[in-house]
Amino acid sequence: VNSTYLPGCLYSLNEGDDYGSISFAPTDGYVPISSVRDAWPGGVADFDAELYLNFTILRYEDQLDTTGDFLWQQFQPIFSRVDKLYHYKPVFEAFYPLVFEKLFNDGIYRFEIRTSLANVYDHQKTYSDAESLQIILDQLSLWKKQDPVARNIFSVGFILQGIRSSSIEEVADTLKNAYKLRDQFPDVVR
């Protein structure tokens, strides 16, 4: 939610979309989130509280069904809402040190993430998978410099993945890309 206060943050509430989506790339149908926030009937605090609930699965806690189908039905709209927010380079860069710190403080010293690395962008460009991975590794390096203990024991790994609904050709391309990235980053790509 704090990231939605960054300059240039845009919001779209499309027809039939209950919760909207966030972007930093000017696109038809998106307006400055500040104008939506300021005009929200319950005020700024109410908008931010609603935004937070729409970025998490907490909204469904009282009706939580642990079957995979139910969880995916709840998660998928969240991914769509936050995708362009999360992949905006300044947000992407700020996210990982928070993750590293949280995991380390929880006693987790090996972090492996299943990811596609796709679509990291800023106002100048869209970054390649290798550049996106390097952004994460740069943030890891900066974070480790702040904590000598973490520097020696915390590590990361990446398991590259595609999308379930991919065609055979797309799966083959994803696999080729994974091998290429593993060659470039053999210590972290699995």
Side-chain angles (χ1 to χ4, degrees):
V1 173
N2 292 340
S3 297
T4 66
Y5 281 89
L6 290 171
C9 187
L10 303 168
Y11 182 79
S12 174
L13 184 59
N14 299 320
E15 195 84 25
D17 181 359
D18 293 338
Y19 306 112
S21 59
I22 310 284
S23 181
F24 287 88
T27 308
D28 287 345
Y30 282 81
V31 297
I33 197 168
S34 57
S35 64
V36 176
R37 187 178 266 122
D38 292 343
W40 197 255
V44 170
D46 186 54
F47 178 83
D48 286 350
E50 189 67 22
L51 199 58
Y52 176 79
L53 286 175
N54 290 306
F55 286 172
T56 67
I57 200 165
L58 294 177
R59 162 182 298 281
Y60 307 103
E61 196 169 45
D62 62 331
Q63 57 182 340
L64 193 59
D65 171 350
T66 57
T67 63
D69 289 342
F70 175 82
L71 291 175
W72 276 109
Q73 288 170 2
Q74 309 317 311
F75 272 128
Q76 195 57 50
I78 294 169
F79 293 145
S80 299
R81 281 180 220 132
V82 301
D83 183 61
K84 292 177 184 169
L85 171 66
Y86 166 74
H87 285 103
Y88 181 55
K89 186 179 180 233
V91 175
F92 191 77
E93 288 174 318
F95 174 75
Y96 279 95
L98 297 174
V99 170
F100 302 147
E101 186 71 20
K102 174 77 172 134
L103 292 170
F104 187 74
N105 288 339
D106 285 349
I108 299 168
Y109 305 130
R110 174 70 180 168
F111 170 54
E112 290 197 2
I113 183 170
R114 197 173 81 176
T115 182
S116 66
L117 295 170
N119 305 320
V120 175
Y121 71 99
D122 60 21
H123 296 294
Q124 282 74 45
K125 67 185 251 182
T126 299
Y127 293 83
S128 70
D129 291 352
E131 290 170 319
S132 299
L133 183 54
Q134 190 60 57
I135 290 168
I136 298 168
L137 295 175
D138 290 346
Q139 293 305 310
L140 176 64
S141 178
L142 291 170
W143 176 76
K144 281 184 163 189
K145 285 180 183 176
Q146 297 173 10
D147 188 332
V149 175
R151 187 177 316 132
N152 294 324
I153 62 174
F154 190 83
S155 65
V156 299
F158 297 89
I159 303 164
L160 301 178
Q161 68 166 35
I163 298 170
R164 286 181 186 208
S165 61
S166 296
S167 68
I168 292 172
E169 292 80 14
E170 290 168 326
V171 170
D173 288 343
T174 299
L175 190 56
K176 286 176 194 171
N177 187 46
Y179 283 125
K180 181 178 157 188
L181 287 171
R182 188 177 66 180
D183 289 344
Q184 286 179 268
F185 302 94
D187 295 336
V188 294
V189 174
R190 306 284 179 246

